[in-house]
Amino acid sequence: MSSPPARNDGSIDQKIDAAESDCEDAPSQNQHAARETFAGTEEERQLVRKFDWRILPITCLLYLFASLDRSNLGNARLQGLPEDVLGGDKNGVLFDWLTSGFYFSYILVQIPATVLSKMVPPRAFVAAAAIGWGMTSSLMATGFNFASLMTARVVLGVFEAGFAPVITVYMSFFYTKEELGLRLAMWFGFATVAGAFGGLIAFGVQHIHASVQNWRLLFIIEGIPPVILGVLTYFFLPNRPESTTVLNERERRIAVERMNRDMTADFGAVVNKAHIRSAFLDWRVYVAGVIYFGLNTALASIGAFLPTIIQSFGHTNAIAQLLTVPPYVVSAVVMISFSFTSDRLQSRGILMTVSSIIGAIGYLLLLVVHGNEHARYFATFCVTSGTYTTIGLIIAWFGHNLGSETKKATGIPLFMAIGQCGSILGSHLYPKTEGPRYIKGFAVSSGLLFLAAVCCAILSVSYRWDNARRDKLYGKPKPNTRVNTQELADKTPEFRYVP
C-alpha cells in the first residue's frame, strides 16, 4: 500500500538534505568550490578545449586499435588464415567460433572490470588494458591451430572488456551532458575509422610478398601500436579532475563545478553499493540491453563479414578489402552529424530511432535485392551508418541518464554485456554454406534493428513522461545548478533525463 504523496515528498527531501549535509561536512575544498558556476564563461571554453586536446587524441586512437584488433579476423579470413591453421574450414564453423570466442570473456568480465576501475586511477586502468590487448593481438600471429587462436581471442576479450564502459564513465567526468554526445561520437567514430583503416591496411598487406603469411603480418602490424599507446596513456591521460596534475587550481575548481552541475560527482575511489543494486533493478537498463543486442548483432556481422559480403558481389579479395572503406567513412560523417544534433537538441531517442531504421532498411535491401549490385553496395552504407550512429548515441544517452558514477559504472557495462550476446549471435549468422544470399543473417539483423528502433522510441517517451511528471511535482530546475544525486542517483527529484 503506497504512502500519501506528501509523506513521500518529505521523505525524499529528508534524504536529499542528509546527502547535502554530508557534502557540506566533507573537508574537501573542491566540494565547496563546486557551488560556484562557470557556465558559459571564457575560462570554461578554454578548459573544454584543453580537455579536447588532452583526452580525445589518446582515447580515440586507443579505440581505433581496439576495434582493429577485435575485427581484423574478418580481413585475415580473406588472407588465408582458415587454410593455414583451420584445415580449410570448408563450412566456416571454426571461424565463426573464433569470432564469437572474444565475446564470451568480454561479456563475463565487463561489469566487474568497470566497477573495479573506480578503485584505481583511470590512466593506469586504461594503460594496462591497452598494453594487454595489444600484446595479445600480436601474439595471435603465432597461432598454429584452432585452440591457440581461440585462447588468444578469449584473452583479448578480457583485456578489452572494461575499456568501452570505463571510457564512457571517464568522459562524463570532464564533459557536461550538452557536450558528451559529440565527444563520445568522435571517440566511438574511430570504430568506423578502424573499419576503413583496417580495409586499407589489409589491402596493403595483401600485396606484401614475404616468407611470413599475410594474415600473421596483419596481426603484428595492428597489435604493436596499442602497446606503445598504452605506455603513453599512463603518462599523458589525465586522472580524475579533482586529482589530476595537468590542471592548475583554478582549472580544477572549474572542472569540479562542471562535474556537479547535473549530478553529484564522487571524490576519489568510491563505490556506492546501493547504486549498484539500483542499476540492476532499473528496467530501462534492460531495454537498453535489447537495443544494444540488436545493434551488436549487426555490428559483429559488419566487422567480421563485410569483406566477405562485398566479395560475394563478384569482386576479388583485394578489391573487396578496399571497397569496405567508403561505407565506414560515410558512417563516421553520419554519426558525427547525428550526435552534434542530439547535443544541440538535448534529445537522443528520436534520432536513435531514425538511425536504427536506416540500418534495418540496409539489411532489408540486402535481403530482397538480388541482381542489382549497386543497390546492394548502397545497402552496406545504410547498414554501417545506421548501426554505428545508434551505438554512439546510446553510449552518450546512458553516460548521463543513470545519475551517478557508480550507477553508470554498473548500468553501462550491464546493458553492454547483454548487448554483446548479440555479437555472439551475429558471428554465427553468416556461415559459408549460406552465401552469397545469407538470407538468415540479413533477415535476423534487419528484424533486430527494427526492434531496436521501437525500444528507442519507448525509452524516449518514458524519459519525457518522467521529466514532465517531476516538473509538475517539483517545478522546473534552474539550468547549470548543482543536483545532489549521491543517495538517489537518477531518482533525485531535481534530476532531469536527456530524452
Side-chain angles (χ1 to χ4, degrees), residues 8 126 131 156 206 284 326 371-372 384 396 422 465 484:
N8 273 346
V126 175
I131 293 171
L156 186 67
Q206 191 88 11
R284 290 184 175 117
N372 190 332
T384 53
W465 179 85
N484 192 316

PDB file of all heavy atoms in Angstrom, residues 8 126 131 156 206 284 326 371-372 384 396 422 465 484:
ATOM      1  N   ASN A   8       5.689  11.020   0.969  1.00  0.00           N
ATOM      2  CA  ASN A   8       6.755  10.628   0.045  1.00  0.00           C
ATOM      3  C   ASN A   8       7.676  11.798  -0.229  1.00  0.00           C
ATOM      4  O   ASN A   8       8.894  11.671  -0.220  1.00  0.00           O
ATOM      5  CB  ASN A   8       6.171  10.135  -1.275  1.00  0.00           C
ATOM      6  CG  ASN A   8       5.851   8.666  -1.227  1.00  0.00           C
ATOM      7  OD1 ASN A   8       6.281   7.962  -0.322  1.00  0.00           O
ATOM      8  ND2 ASN A   8       5.083   8.212  -2.205  1.00  0.00           N
ATOM      9  N   VAL A 126      43.312   2.110 -17.991  1.00  0.00           N
ATOM     10  CA  VAL A 126      43.247   2.140 -19.453  1.00  0.00           C
ATOM     11  C   VAL A 126      44.590   1.726 -20.062  1.00  0.00           C
ATOM     12  O   VAL A 126      44.644   0.993 -21.050  1.00  0.00           O
ATOM     13  CB  VAL A 126      42.828   3.545 -19.938  1.00  0.00           C
ATOM     14  CG1 VAL A 126      42.875   3.626 -21.462  1.00  0.00           C
ATOM     15  CG2 VAL A 126      41.427   3.883 -19.447  1.00  0.00           C
ATOM     16  N   ILE A 131      47.874  -2.152 -23.229  1.00  0.00           N
ATOM     17  CA  ILE A 131      49.088  -2.962 -23.364  1.00  0.00           C
ATOM     18  C   ILE A 131      48.718  -4.446 -23.448  1.00  0.00           C
ATOM     19  O   ILE A 131      49.278  -5.198 -24.252  1.00  0.00           O
ATOM     20  CB  ILE A 131      50.040  -2.701 -22.184  1.00  0.00           C
ATOM     21  CG1 ILE A 131      50.574  -1.261 -22.259  1.00  0.00           C
ATOM     22  CG2 ILE A 131      51.200  -3.687 -22.177  1.00  0.00           C
ATOM     23  CD1 ILE A 131      51.343  -0.823 -21.027  1.00  0.00           C
ATOM     24  N   LEU A 156      42.028 -11.721 -25.362  1.00  0.00           N
ATOM     25  CA  LEU A 156      41.786 -10.397 -25.941  1.00  0.00           C
ATOM     26  C   LEU A 156      40.494  -9.805 -25.388  1.00  0.00           C
ATOM     27  O   LEU A 156      40.432  -8.608 -25.053  1.00  0.00           O
ATOM     28  CB  LEU A 156      41.705 -10.521 -27.463  1.00  0.00           C
ATOM     29  CG  LEU A 156      41.596  -9.218 -28.265  1.00  0.00           C
ATOM     30  CD1 LEU A 156      42.876  -8.416 -28.157  1.00  0.00           C
ATOM     31  CD2 LEU A 156      41.289  -9.529 -29.732  1.00  0.00           C
ATOM     32  N   GLN A 206      47.965  -7.371 -48.313  1.00  0.00           N
ATOM     33  CA  GLN A 206      47.661  -8.353 -49.355  1.00  0.00           C
ATOM     34  C   GLN A 206      48.732  -8.377 -50.440  1.00  0.00           C
ATOM     35  O   GLN A 206      48.954  -9.390 -51.092  1.00  0.00           O
ATOM     36  CB  GLN A 206      46.297  -8.016 -49.986  1.00  0.00           C
ATOM     37  CG  GLN A 206      45.730  -9.079 -50.888  1.00  0.00           C
ATOM     38  CD  GLN A 206      44.899 -10.105 -50.127  1.00  0.00           C
ATOM     39  OE1 GLN A 206      44.590  -9.913 -48.970  1.00  0.00           O
ATOM     40  NE2 GLN A 206      44.554 -11.190 -50.803  1.00  0.00           N
ATOM     41  N   ARG A 284      14.964   0.280 -17.454  1.00  0.00           N
ATOM     42  CA  ARG A 284      15.456   0.950 -18.657  1.00  0.00           C
ATOM     43  C   ARG A 284      16.822   0.404 -19.093  1.00  0.00           C
ATOM     44  O   ARG A 284      17.138   0.401 -20.277  1.00  0.00           O
ATOM     45  CB  ARG A 284      15.547   2.455 -18.417  1.00  0.00           C
ATOM     46  CG  ARG A 284      14.173   3.147 -18.288  1.00  0.00           C
ATOM     47  CD  ARG A 284      14.348   4.640 -18.142  1.00  0.00           C
ATOM     48  NE  ARG A 284      13.090   5.352 -18.135  1.00  0.00           N
ATOM     49  CZ  ARG A 284      12.628   6.067 -17.107  1.00  0.00           C
ATOM     50  NH1 ARG A 284      13.344   6.144 -15.992  1.00  0.00           N
ATOM     51  NH2 ARG A 284      11.475   6.700 -17.185  1.00  0.00           N
ATOM     52  N   PRO A 326      34.735   2.975 -48.089  1.00  0.00           N
ATOM     53  CA  PRO A 326      33.723   4.040 -48.199  1.00  0.00           C
ATOM     54  C   PRO A 326      32.539   3.912 -47.245  1.00  0.00           C
ATOM     55  O   PRO A 326      32.115   4.926 -46.672  1.00  0.00           O
ATOM     56  CB  PRO A 326      33.287   3.950 -49.672  1.00  0.00           C
ATOM     57  CG  PRO A 326      34.472   3.389 -50.370  1.00  0.00           C
ATOM     58  CD  PRO A 326      35.053   2.399 -49.422  1.00  0.00           C
ATOM     59  N   GLY A 371      19.791  -8.866 -57.915  1.00  0.00           N
ATOM     60  CA  GLY A 371      20.550  -8.688 -59.144  1.00  0.00           C
ATOM     61  C   GLY A 371      21.292  -7.374 -59.262  1.00  0.00           C
ATOM     62  O   GLY A 371      22.208  -7.249 -60.067  1.00  0.00           O
ATOM     63  N   ASN A 372      20.902  -6.379 -58.479  1.00  0.00           N
ATOM     64  CA  ASN A 372      21.484  -5.037 -58.616  1.00  0.00           C
ATOM     65  C   ASN A 372      22.591  -4.845 -57.586  1.00  0.00           C
ATOM     66  O   ASN A 372      22.332  -4.542 -56.422  1.00  0.00           O
ATOM     67  CB  ASN A 372      20.386  -3.991 -58.428  1.00  0.00           C
ATOM     68  CG  ASN A 372      20.853  -2.595 -58.782  1.00  0.00           C
ATOM     69  OD1 ASN A 372      22.037  -2.274 -58.685  1.00  0.00           O
ATOM     70  ND2 ASN A 372      19.915  -1.748 -59.183  1.00  0.00           N
ATOM     71  N   THR A 384      26.103   0.316 -42.129  1.00  0.00           N
ATOM     72  CA  THR A 384      27.154   0.884 -41.277  1.00  0.00           C
ATOM     73  C   THR A 384      26.714   2.204 -40.646  1.00  0.00           C
ATOM     74  O   THR A 384      26.930   2.419 -39.450  1.00  0.00           O
ATOM     75  CB  THR A 384      28.443   1.104 -42.090  1.00  0.00           C
ATOM     76  OG1 THR A 384      28.149   1.874 -43.257  1.00  0.00           O
ATOM     77  CG2 THR A 384      29.057  -0.215 -42.506  1.00  0.00           C
ATOM     78  N   ALA A 396      26.245   7.706 -25.244  1.00  0.00           N
ATOM     79  CA  ALA A 396      26.114   9.046 -24.676  1.00  0.00           C
ATOM     80  C   ALA A 396      24.840   9.171 -23.846  1.00  0.00           C
ATOM     81  O   ALA A 396      24.826   9.841 -22.803  1.00  0.00           O
ATOM     82  CB  ALA A 396      26.105  10.086 -25.803  1.00  0.00           C
ATOM     83  N   GLY A 422      24.490 -10.354 -28.475  1.00  0.00           N
ATOM     84  CA  GLY A 422      24.140 -10.212 -29.881  1.00  0.00           C
ATOM     85  C   GLY A 422      25.345 -10.383 -30.789  1.00  0.00           C
ATOM     86  O   GLY A 422      25.218 -10.828 -31.932  1.00  0.00           O
ATOM     87  N   TRP A 465       8.087  11.524 -20.255  1.00  0.00           N
ATOM     88  CA  TRP A 465       6.988  11.457 -19.290  1.00  0.00           C
ATOM     89  C   TRP A 465       7.508  11.680 -17.868  1.00  0.00           C
ATOM     90  O   TRP A 465       6.890  12.410 -17.081  1.00  0.00           O
ATOM     91  CB  TRP A 465       6.302  10.098 -19.392  1.00  0.00           C
ATOM     92  CG  TRP A 465       5.173   9.922 -18.427  1.00  0.00           C
ATOM     93  CD1 TRP A 465       3.875  10.306 -18.588  1.00  0.00           C
ATOM     94  CD2 TRP A 465       5.258   9.326 -17.122  1.00  0.00           C
ATOM     95  NE1 TRP A 465       3.133   9.984 -17.471  1.00  0.00           N
ATOM     96  CE2 TRP A 465       3.957   9.395 -16.556  1.00  0.00           C
ATOM     97  CE3 TRP A 465       6.287   8.762 -16.390  1.00  0.00           C
ATOM     98  CZ2 TRP A 465       3.683   8.910 -15.278  1.00  0.00           C
ATOM     99  CZ3 TRP A 465       6.020   8.272 -15.116  1.00  0.00           C
ATOM    100  CH2 TRP A 465       4.730   8.345 -14.576  1.00  0.00           C
ATOM    101  N   ASN A 484      22.062  17.162  -6.276  1.00  0.00           N
ATOM    102  CA  ASN A 484      22.665  16.174  -5.387  1.00  0.00           C
ATOM    103  C   ASN A 484      22.074  14.794  -5.673  1.00  0.00           C
ATOM    104  O   ASN A 484      20.937  14.498  -5.329  1.00  0.00           O
ATOM    105  CB  ASN A 484      22.408  16.559  -3.926  1.00  0.00           C
ATOM    106  CG  ASN A 484      23.259  15.721  -2.977  1.00  0.00           C
ATOM    107  OD1 ASN A 484      23.378  14.514  -3.127  1.00  0.00           O
ATOM    108  ND2 ASN A 484      23.843  16.379  -1.982  1.00  0.00           N
TER     109      ASN A 484
END
